[in-house]
Amino acid sequence: MKKITLDHPVTVNGTTIREIKMRRPKVRDELAAQSYKEEAERELMYFSSLTELSREELEELDLADWGKLQKAFEEMLQPGKPPSPAS
């Protein structure tokens, strides 16, 4: 599990999100993501599954924080590389 600290916390439905936990992806996540044709939709579905946040919550993220999620995801896909400390 990787913790990502947001530079720009968001508030959705009265709850402020300052940190996101992302689990490592599984084959089942990849299979589910393949049903989406658009890359952005596929990535949004992936991150929703891996973070247990709703699409609406993820859509409120600042693009800089979205980039942190993308980086964390890419790091998890590197073979043999242990997870790095919280970002």
Side-chain angles (χ1 to χ4, degrees):
M1 185 82 54
K2 182 156 180 76
K3 292 180 188 177
I4 300 108
T5 301
L6 301 181
D7 292 330
H8 308 280
V10 296
T11 301
V12 180
N13 297 324
T15 301
T16 300
I17 302 169
R18 291 183 169 80
E19 180 179 271
I20 296 174
K21 293 178 184 173
M22 180 183 279
R23 67 172 173 80
R24 293 185 55 79
K26 308 274 186 194
V27 171
R28 68 175 169 260
D29 298 309
E30 176 65 22
L31 293 172
Q34 287 179 4
S35 66
Y36 294 86
K37 294 181 186 200
E38 298 292 325
E39 181 64 29
E41 290 289 328
R42 189 176 15 245
E43 192 172 61
L44 190 58
M45 193 289 315
Y46 237 132
F47 292 174
S48 180
S49 177
L50 299 179
T51 64
E52 296 184 4
L53 293 175
S54 70
R55 176 187 178 114
E56 293 76 24
E57 290 167 318
L58 290 172
E59 287 177 347
E60 290 300 317
L61 292 179
D62 185 273
L63 279 178
D65 290 324
W66 183 255
K68 287 177 130 183
L69 290 181
Q70 291 172 318
K71 181 180 177 188
F73 178 75
E74 289 299 322
E75 287 175 359
M76 289 181 189
L77 296 180
Q78 299 302 312
K81 185 175 181 181
S84 60
S87 298

